[in-house]
Amino acid sequence: MTGTTDITELLLSRIRDVPDHPEPGVVFKDITPLLADPAAFTALTDALAEVAGSTGATKVVGLEARGFILGAPVALRAGLGFIPVRKAGKLPGATLSQAYDLEYGSAEIEVHAEDLSAGDRVLVVDDVLATGGTAEASLELIRRAGAEVAGLAVLMELGFLGGRARLEPALAGAPLKALLTV
C-alpha cells in the first residue's frame, strides 16, 4: 500500500453489500471478506494502529463484537493493552456499566472496573459508526472509569445516519477517524 487511495480501494473492494439484511430495505456491510484477506486485514490493522499512535493512546477498547476482531490486533500492533467492552452480564467480577438508548429500545455495556484508570488514554475501535449510541455509551464508560478518551477509530462510517454529529459533544475534542465513509 502506497497511499490513502490504495488502502481505501483495497478495503472497499473487500466489503460486500448484502441487501435486505437483517430486514427488508437495509443494506448490510459485510466485512468478513476483508477479514479473510490477509493483505486487506493487515492494511486495516496497520492503519488503525497508526491512529492509536497518533492519538497517544495507552489502551485500546474494542466494542462487542466486531470491535474485538479489529481492536485486539490493533492493540497488539501498537504495543498497547486491549480492553473488551461487552454487553451486560458477560464479564465476571466487578464491572462498571452504562445504559443507552437504541432506535428500537435500550441496551447496556460493561467493562471490568479495574481495567481502566486515571492516566490511561483510550482509543475506542469498532467496525462501523452508525447512529453512535454504543460508541457514545463507551466514551461515557471510559470517563466514569477515570480514564481519558484519546479518540474513536472505525473502519467505516455510515454518514447518512448522523453518528458523527451525535458523538461530537461526547468526544470533547478527541478525534474521530473513519477509514471509509459511505
Side-chain angles (χ1 to χ4, degrees):
M1 296 291 91
T2 59
T4 303
T5 302
D6 292 340
I7 191 172
T8 299
E9 290 175 8
L10 175 62
L11 297 176
L12 282 172
S13 74
R14 302 304 189 274
I15 296 171
R16 179 175 60 132
D17 286 348
V18 181
D20 298 321
H21 181 79
E23 58 187 53
V26 173
V27 178
F28 182 79
K29 299 292 188 182
D30 181 12
I31 68 167
T32 57
L34 186 157
L35 299 174
D37 179 333
F41 195 12
T42 298
L44 171 59
T45 300
D46 289 346
L48 292 174
E50 282 183 33
V51 174
S54 72
T55 63
T58 60
K59 291 188 178 169
V60 172
V61 153
L63 303 181
E64 188 166 336
R66 290 180 298 254
F68 297 175
I69 296 168
L70 302 183
V74 166
L76 184 62
R77 181 66 47 95
L80 306 174
F82 176 75
I83 310 298
V85 168
R86 307 254 0 230
K87 294 175 184 169
K90 300 288 186 179
L91 293 172
T95 61
L96 294 174
S97 63
Q98 182 67 42
Y100 61 101
D101 291 326
L102 301 164
E103 55 275 7
Y104 51 85
S106 62
E108 190 173 358
I109 55 174
E110 295 179 331
V111 66
H112 275 132
E114 71 276 4
D115 286 349
L116 296 171
S117 59
D120 287 331
R121 287 187 45 80
V122 182
L123 177 68
V124 177
V125 172
D126 205 3
D127 65 328
V128 174
L129 172 60
T131 62
T134 307
E136 183 179 44
S138 74
L139 299 174
E140 177 63 25
L141 194 56
I142 289 164
R143 288 192 178 98
R144 285 186 42 233
E148 182 181 346
V149 173
L152 170 65
V154 296
L155 163 60
M156 182 177 9
E157 177 180 354
L158 305 179
F160 60 93
L161 292 177
R164 181 177 291 266
R166 176 182 183 164
L167 289 175
E168 283 177 357
L171 283 164
L176 189 167
K177 173 67 175 173
L179 300 180
L180 305 172
T181 301
V182 295

